Amino acid sequence: MIQFECRLLRGLLGFICLLPLCISAAPDLCGPLKTVRESLNSTLRRRYMKMNFPINYTIQVHYEEVFRLRNISRLNTSTEDEPVQKRDLQDLWLLVSQQGIKRVLRVLPERHPTRRKYLSNLENLFRDFGALYNQRNPSEERDHPESIQNIWDRLTDPYYQGWKSVTPKSLLDNCYRTMLCLFKECFSNEDDNYDYCEVLNWRKGKKTT
């Protein structure tokens, strides 16, 4: 009996010792996201995504790549049988953000200052964050609701012809605002009373846009 209790105690102690390792195996997303936020600040967006381009310069993107706060609100109020979860919207945000950066990079010459000094680094930050995000949230574990899957299919369809003209800066403006809305747990300590998902708050200029 005593030997059994000793083995049980050793097993319990072993589990307790391994528990911190199991917890630490899940990557922290807030640190990398805050680094992304620093690179998306309004000064850098204005300098590299507006001032380095001709006046009124636009690029062609898919309709679904214009991902705004109102899109999040619309998807959250969907009446379909399977409700949209925050994870679904985060998946979509990551895909749209990475594709938007690639859209701009495709039109930039290799020696363009926006490419060399800003956008290539931002692409790497998103790639690193995406690797951690996918490690923490394996995509094969679940299916998206129909409304999200329909958008996802159009975004990844090479023959889809739904195009829209937008300024390069607007893509990163949308990326920044929707990031704060969808990952607000990473930024809420900075201002617990501020609703990042409320469109009117941004229009009032209460936050850096």
Side-chain angles (χ1 to χ4, degrees), residues 52-105:
N52 279 359
F53 288 87
I55 296 175
N56 298 324
Y57 181 83
T58 61
I59 62 173
Q60 292 288 301
V61 301
H62 285 150
Y63 284 112
E64 289 75 15
E65 289 170 340
V66 182
F67 189 57
R68 301 187 178 104
L69 292 175
R70 68 185 66 176
N71 299 110
I72 294 175
S73 177
R74 189 180 305 118
L75 288 166
N76 276 329
T77 56
S78 172
T79 58
E80 62 186 44
D81 294 335
E82 187 178 2
V84 171
Q85 304 295 322
K86 180 186 287 188
R87 163 72 192 284
D88 302 315
L89 296 168
Q90 291 173 340
D91 289 350
L92 192 57
W93 171 84
L94 182 57
L95 176 64
V96 168
S97 299
Q98 291 179 307
Q99 289 199 177
I101 292 172
K102 285 182 171 60
R103 293 280 185 202
V104 181
L105 283 172

Coordinates of all heavy atoms in Angstrom, one line a residue, residues 52-105:
N52 N 5.0 58.6 -49.7 CA 5.9 58.0 -50.7 C 5.2 57.6 -52.0 O 5.8 57.0 -52.9 CB 6.6 56.8 -50.1 CG 7.8 57.2 -49.2 OD1 8.1 58.4 -49.1 ND2 8.4 56.2 -48.6
F53 N 3.9 57.9 -52.1 CA 3.1 57.6 -53.3 C 2.6 58.8 -54.0 O 2.4 59.9 -53.3 CB 2.0 56.7 -53.0 CG 2.4 55.3 -52.6 CD1 2.7 55.0 -51.3 CD2 2.4 54.2 -53.5 CE1 3.1 53.7 -50.9 CE2 2.8 52.9 -53.2 CZ 3.1 52.7 -51.9
P54 N 2.3 58.8 -55.3 CA 1.7 59.9 -55.9 C 0.3 60.3 -55.3 O -0.3 59.4 -54.7 CB 1.5 59.5 -57.4 CG 2.5 58.4 -57.5 CD 2.6 57.7 -56.2
I55 N -0.1 61.5 -55.4 CA -1.4 61.9 -54.9 C -2.5 61.1 -55.6 O -2.5 60.9 -56.8 CB -1.6 63.4 -55.1 CG1 -0.5 64.3 -54.4 CG2 -3.0 63.9 -54.7 CD1 -0.6 65.7 -54.6
N56 N -3.4 60.7 -54.7 CA -4.6 59.9 -55.2 C -4.2 58.6 -55.8 O -5.0 58.0 -56.6 CB -5.4 60.7 -56.1 CG -6.0 62.0 -55.5 OD1 -6.4 62.0 -54.3 ND2 -6.1 63.0 -56.3
Y57 N -3.0 58.0 -55.5 CA -2.6 56.8 -56.1 C -3.4 55.6 -55.4 O -3.6 55.6 -54.2 CB -1.1 56.5 -55.8 CG -0.6 55.2 -56.3 CD1 -0.1 55.1 -57.6 CD2 -0.5 54.1 -55.5 CE1 0.4 54.0 -58.1 CE2 0.0 52.9 -56.0 CZ 0.4 52.8 -57.3 OH 0.9 51.7 -57.8
T58 N -3.9 54.7 -56.3 CA -4.7 53.6 -55.8 C -4.1 52.3 -56.4 O -3.5 52.3 -57.4 CB -6.2 53.7 -56.2 OG1 -6.3 53.8 -57.6 CG2 -6.8 55.0 -55.5
I59 N -4.5 51.2 -55.8 CA -4.2 49.8 -56.3 C -5.5 49.0 -56.3 O -6.5 49.4 -55.7 CB -3.1 49.1 -55.4 CG1 -3.6 48.9 -54.0 CG2 -1.8 49.9 -55.4 CD1 -2.7 48.0 -53.2
Q60 N -5.5 47.9 -57.1 CA -6.6 47.1 -57.2 C -6.5 45.9 -56.2 O -5.5 45.2 -56.1 CB -6.7 46.5 -58.6 CG -7.0 47.5 -59.7 CD -8.5 48.0 -59.6 OE1 -9.4 47.2 -59.7 NE2 -8.6 49.3 -59.4
V61 N -7.6 45.8 -55.4 CA -7.7 44.7 -54.4 C -9.1 44.0 -54.5 O -10.0 44.6 -55.1 CB -7.4 45.1 -53.0 CG1 -6.1 45.8 -52.8 CG2 -8.5 46.1 -52.5
H62 N -9.2 42.8 -54.0 CA -10.5 42.2 -54.0 C -11.4 42.9 -53.0 O -10.9 43.5 -52.0 CB -10.4 40.7 -53.6 CG -9.9 39.9 -54.7 ND1 -9.2 38.7 -54.5 CD2 -10.0 40.0 -56.0 CE1 -8.8 38.2 -55.6 NE2 -9.3 38.9 -56.6
Y63 N -12.7 42.9 -53.3 CA -13.6 43.6 -52.3 C -13.4 43.1 -50.9 O -13.5 43.9 -49.9 CB -15.1 43.3 -52.8 CG -15.6 44.1 -54.0 CD1 -15.8 43.5 -55.2 CD2 -15.8 45.5 -53.9 CE1 -16.2 44.2 -56.3 CE2 -16.2 46.2 -55.0 CZ -16.4 45.5 -56.2 OH -16.9 46.3 -57.3
E64 N -13.2 41.8 -50.8 CA -13.1 41.2 -49.4 C -11.8 41.6 -48.7 O -11.7 41.4 -47.5 CB -13.2 39.7 -49.5 CG -14.6 39.1 -49.9 CD -14.9 39.4 -51.4 OE1 -14.0 39.7 -52.2 OE2 -16.1 39.2 -51.7
E65 N -10.9 42.2 -49.4 CA -9.6 42.6 -48.8 C -9.8 44.0 -48.2 O -8.8 44.5 -47.5 CB -8.5 42.6 -49.9 CG -8.1 41.2 -50.2 CD -7.1 41.1 -51.4 OE1 -7.1 42.1 -52.2 OE2 -6.4 40.1 -51.6
V66 N -10.9 44.6 -48.4 CA -11.2 45.9 -47.7 C -12.0 45.5 -46.4 O -13.2 45.4 -46.5 CB -12.0 46.8 -48.6 CG1 -12.3 48.1 -47.9 CG2 -11.3 47.1 -49.9
F67 N -11.3 45.2 -45.4 CA -11.9 44.6 -44.2 C -11.9 45.7 -43.1 O -10.9 46.1 -42.5 CB -11.0 43.4 -43.7 CG -11.6 42.6 -42.6 CD1 -12.9 42.1 -42.7 CD2 -10.9 42.4 -41.4 CE1 -13.4 41.3 -41.7 CE2 -11.5 41.7 -40.4 CZ -12.7 41.1 -40.5
R68 N -13.2 46.2 -42.9 CA -13.3 47.4 -42.0 C -14.1 46.9 -40.7 O -14.6 45.8 -40.6 CB -14.1 48.5 -42.6 CG -13.5 49.0 -43.9 CD -14.3 50.2 -44.4 NE -13.8 50.9 -45.5 CZ -14.3 50.8 -46.7 NH1 -15.4 50.0 -46.9 NH2 -13.8 51.4 -47.8
L69 N -14.2 47.9 -39.7 CA -14.9 47.6 -38.5 C -16.4 47.3 -38.8 O -17.0 46.4 -38.2 CB -14.9 48.8 -37.6 CG -13.5 49.1 -37.0 CD1 -13.5 50.4 -36.2 CD2 -13.0 48.0 -36.1
R70 N -16.9 47.9 -39.8 CA -18.4 47.7 -40.2 C -18.6 46.3 -40.7 O -19.6 45.7 -40.5 CB -18.9 48.7 -41.2 CG -18.2 48.6 -42.6 CD -18.7 49.7 -43.5 NE -18.2 51.0 -43.0 CZ -18.3 52.1 -43.7 NH1 -19.0 52.1 -44.8 NH2 -17.9 53.3 -43.2
N71 N -17.5 45.7 -41.3 CA -17.6 44.3 -41.8 C -17.7 43.4 -40.6 O -18.4 42.4 -40.6 CB -16.4 43.9 -42.6 CG -16.3 44.8 -43.9 OD1 -15.4 45.6 -44.0 ND2 -17.2 44.5 -44.8
I72 N -16.9 43.7 -39.5 CA -16.9 42.9 -38.3 C -18.3 43.0 -37.7 O -18.8 41.9 -37.3 CB -15.8 43.4 -37.3 CG1 -14.4 43.1 -37.9 CG2 -16.0 42.7 -36.0 CD1 -13.3 43.7 -37.1
S73 N -18.8 44.2 -37.6 CA -20.2 44.3 -37.0 C -21.2 43.6 -37.8 O -22.1 42.9 -37.2 CB -20.5 45.8 -37.0 OG -21.8 46.0 -36.5
R74 N -21.1 43.6 -39.1 CA -22.1 42.9 -39.9 C -22.0 41.4 -39.8 O -23.0 40.7 -39.7 CB -21.9 43.3 -41.4 CG -23.0 42.8 -42.4 CD -22.7 43.2 -43.8 NE -22.5 44.7 -43.9 CZ -21.4 45.3 -44.3 NH1 -20.4 44.5 -44.6 NH2 -21.4 46.6 -44.4
L75 N -20.8 40.9 -39.7 CA -20.6 39.4 -39.5 C -21.1 39.0 -38.1 O -21.6 37.9 -38.0 CB -19.2 39.1 -39.8 CG -18.7 39.1 -41.3 CD1 -17.2 39.1 -41.4 CD2 -19.4 38.0 -42.1
N76 N -20.8 39.8 -37.2 CA -21.2 39.5 -35.8 C -22.8 39.4 -35.6 O -23.3 38.7 -34.7 CB -20.7 40.5 -34.8 CG -19.2 40.2 -34.4 OD1 -18.9 39.0 -34.4 ND2 -18.5 41.2 -34.1
T77 N -23.5 40.2 -36.5 CA -24.9 40.2 -36.3 C -25.6 39.3 -37.4 O -26.8 39.4 -37.6 CB -25.5 41.6 -36.5 OG1 -25.0 42.2 -37.8 CG2 -25.0 42.5 -35.4
S78 N -24.8 38.4 -38.0 CA -25.4 37.5 -39.0 C -26.4 36.6 -38.3 O -26.3 36.2 -37.2 CB -24.2 36.6 -39.6 OG -24.7 35.6 -40.4
T79 N -27.5 36.3 -39.1 CA -28.6 35.5 -38.6 C -28.5 34.0 -39.0 O -29.4 33.2 -38.8 CB -29.9 36.0 -39.1 OG1 -29.9 36.0 -40.6 CG2 -30.2 37.4 -38.6
E80 N -27.3 33.6 -39.5 CA -27.2 32.2 -39.9 C -27.2 31.3 -38.7 O -27.0 31.7 -37.5 CB -25.9 32.0 -40.7 CG -24.6 32.3 -39.9 CD -23.4 32.3 -40.8 OE1 -23.5 32.8 -41.9 OE2 -22.4 31.7 -40.4
D81 N -27.4 30.0 -38.9 CA -27.5 29.0 -37.8 C -26.3 28.9 -37.0 O -26.3 28.8 -35.8 CB -27.9 27.6 -38.4 CG -29.3 27.6 -39.1 OD1 -30.1 28.5 -38.7 OD2 -29.5 26.8 -39.9
E82 N -25.1 29.0 -37.6 CA -23.9 28.9 -36.9 C -23.3 30.3 -36.7 O -22.8 30.9 -37.6 CB -22.9 28.0 -37.7 CG -21.6 27.7 -37.0 CD -20.7 26.8 -37.8 OE1 -21.0 26.5 -39.0 OE2 -19.6 26.4 -37.3
P83 N -23.3 30.8 -35.5 CA -22.8 32.1 -35.2 C -21.3 32.3 -35.5 O -20.5 31.3 -35.4 CB -23.1 32.4 -33.7 CG -23.2 31.0 -33.2 CD -23.7 30.1 -34.2
V84 N -20.9 33.5 -35.8 CA -19.5 33.8 -36.1 C -18.8 34.0 -34.7 O -19.3 34.7 -33.9 CB -19.3 35.0 -36.9 CG1 -17.9 35.5 -37.0 CG2 -19.9 34.8 -38.3
Q85 N -17.7 33.3 -34.5 CA -16.9 33.5 -33.3 C -15.7 34.5 -33.6 O -15.3 34.7 -34.7 CB -16.3 32.1 -32.9 CG -17.3 31.0 -32.7 CD -18.3 31.3 -31.5 OE1 -17.8 31.9 -30.5 NE2 -19.5 31.0 -31.7
K86 N -15.2 35.0 -32.5 CA -14.1 35.9 -32.6 C -12.9 35.3 -33.3 O -12.2 35.9 -34.2 CB -13.6 36.4 -31.2 CG -12.4 37.4 -31.3 CD -11.9 37.7 -30.0 CE -12.8 38.7 -29.2 NZ -12.2 39.2 -28.0
R87 N -12.7 34.0 -33.1 CA -11.6 33.3 -33.7 C -11.8 33.3 -35.3 O -10.8 33.4 -36.0 CB -11.5 31.8 -33.2 CG -10.8 30.8 -34.0 CD -9.3 31.0 -34.0 NE -8.6 30.2 -35.0 CZ -8.5 28.9 -35.0 NH1 -8.9 28.2 -33.9 NH2 -7.9 28.3 -35.9
D88 N -13.0 33.2 -35.7 CA -13.3 33.2 -37.2 C -12.8 34.6 -37.8 O -12.2 34.6 -38.8 CB -14.8 33.0 -37.5 CG -15.3 31.7 -36.9 OD1 -14.6 30.7 -37.1 OD2 -16.4 31.7 -36.3
L89 N -13.2 35.6 -37.1 CA -12.8 37.0 -37.5 C -11.3 37.2 -37.4 O -10.7 37.9 -38.3 CB -13.6 38.0 -36.7 CG -15.1 37.9 -36.8 CD1 -15.8 38.8 -35.8 CD2 -15.5 38.4 -38.2
Q90 N -10.7 36.7 -36.4 CA -9.2 36.8 -36.3 C -8.5 36.1 -37.5 O -7.5 36.6 -38.0 CB -8.7 36.3 -35.0 CG -9.2 37.1 -33.8 CD -8.8 36.5 -32.4 OE1 -8.6 35.3 -32.3 NE2 -8.8 37.3 -31.4
D91 N -9.0 34.9 -37.8 CA -8.5 34.1 -38.9 C -8.6 35.0 -40.2 O -7.6 35.1 -41.0 CB -9.2 32.8 -39.2 CG -9.0 31.8 -38.1 OD1 -8.1 32.0 -37.3 OD2 -9.7 30.8 -38.1
L92 N -9.7 35.6 -40.4 CA -10.0 36.4 -41.6 C -9.1 37.7 -41.6 O -8.5 38.0 -42.6 CB -11.5 36.8 -41.6 CG -12.0 37.4 -42.9 CD1 -11.8 36.5 -44.1 CD2 -13.5 37.7 -42.8
W93 N -8.9 38.3 -40.4 CA -8.1 39.5 -40.3 C -6.6 39.2 -40.7 O -6.0 39.9 -41.5 CB -8.1 40.0 -38.9 CG -7.1 41.1 -38.6 CD1 -7.3 42.4 -38.9 CD2 -5.8 40.9 -38.1 NE1 -6.1 43.1 -38.6 CE2 -5.2 42.2 -38.1 CE3 -5.1 39.8 -37.7 CZ2 -3.9 42.4 -37.6 CZ3 -3.8 40.1 -37.2 CH2 -3.2 41.3 -37.2
L94 N -6.1 38.0 -40.3 CA -4.7 37.7 -40.6 C -4.6 37.4 -42.1 O -3.6 37.9 -42.7 CB -4.3 36.4 -39.8 CG -2.9 36.0 -40.0 CD1 -1.9 37.1 -39.6 CD2 -2.6 34.7 -39.1
L95 N -5.5 36.7 -42.7 CA -5.4 36.5 -44.1 C -5.5 37.8 -44.9 O -4.7 38.0 -45.8 CB -6.5 35.5 -44.6 CG -6.6 35.2 -46.1 CD1 -5.3 34.5 -46.6 CD2 -7.8 34.4 -46.4
V96 N -6.5 38.6 -44.6 CA -6.6 39.9 -45.3 C -5.4 40.8 -45.2 O -5.0 41.4 -46.1 CB -7.9 40.6 -44.8 CG1 -8.0 42.0 -45.4 CG2 -9.2 39.8 -45.3
S97 N -4.9 40.9 -44.0 CA -3.8 41.7 -43.7 C -2.5 41.3 -44.5 O -1.8 42.1 -45.1 CB -3.4 41.7 -42.2 OG -4.5 42.2 -41.4
Q98 N -2.3 40.0 -44.5 CA -1.1 39.5 -45.2 C -1.3 39.7 -46.7 O -0.3 40.1 -47.5 CB -0.8 38.1 -44.9 CG -0.4 37.9 -43.5 CD -0.1 36.4 -43.1 OE1 -1.0 35.6 -43.3 NE2 1.0 36.1 -42.6
Q99 N -2.5 39.5 -47.2 CA -2.7 39.7 -48.7 C -2.6 41.1 -49.1 O -2.1 41.5 -50.2 CB -4.1 39.1 -49.1 CG -4.1 37.6 -49.0 CD -5.2 37.0 -49.8 OE1 -5.3 35.7 -49.9 NE2 -6.1 37.8 -50.4
G100 N -3.1 42.0 -48.2 CA -3.0 43.5 -48.5 C -1.6 43.9 -48.6 O -1.3 44.7 -49.5
I101 N -0.7 43.5 -47.7 CA 0.7 43.8 -47.8 C 1.3 43.3 -49.1 O 2.1 44.0 -49.8 CB 1.4 43.3 -46.6 CG1 1.0 44.0 -45.3 CG2 2.9 43.4 -46.7 CD1 1.5 43.4 -44.0
K102 N 1.0 42.1 -49.5 CA 1.5 41.5 -50.7 C 1.0 42.3 -51.9 O 1.8 42.5 -52.9 CB 1.1 40.1 -50.8 CG 1.8 39.1 -49.9 CD 1.4 37.7 -50.1 CE 2.3 36.7 -49.4 NZ 2.3 36.9 -48.0
R103 N -0.2 42.8 -51.9 CA -0.8 43.6 -53.0 C 0.1 44.9 -53.2 O 0.4 45.2 -54.4 CB -2.2 44.0 -52.7 CG -3.2 42.9 -52.7 CD -3.6 42.5 -54.1 NE -4.7 41.5 -54.0 CZ -5.0 40.7 -54.9 NH1 -4.3 40.7 -56.1 NH2 -6.0 39.8 -54.8
V104 N 0.4 45.5 -52.1 CA 1.2 46.8 -52.3 C 2.7 46.4 -52.7 O 3.2 47.1 -53.6 CB 1.2 47.5 -50.9 CG1 2.0 48.8 -51.1 CG2 -0.2 47.8 -50.5
L105 N 3.2 45.4 -52.1 CA 4.6 45.0 -52.5 C 4.7 44.7 -54.0 O 5.8 45.0 -54.6 CB 5.1 43.8 -51.7 CG 5.5 44.1 -50.2 CD1 5.7 42.8 -49.5 CD2 6.7 45.0 -50.2

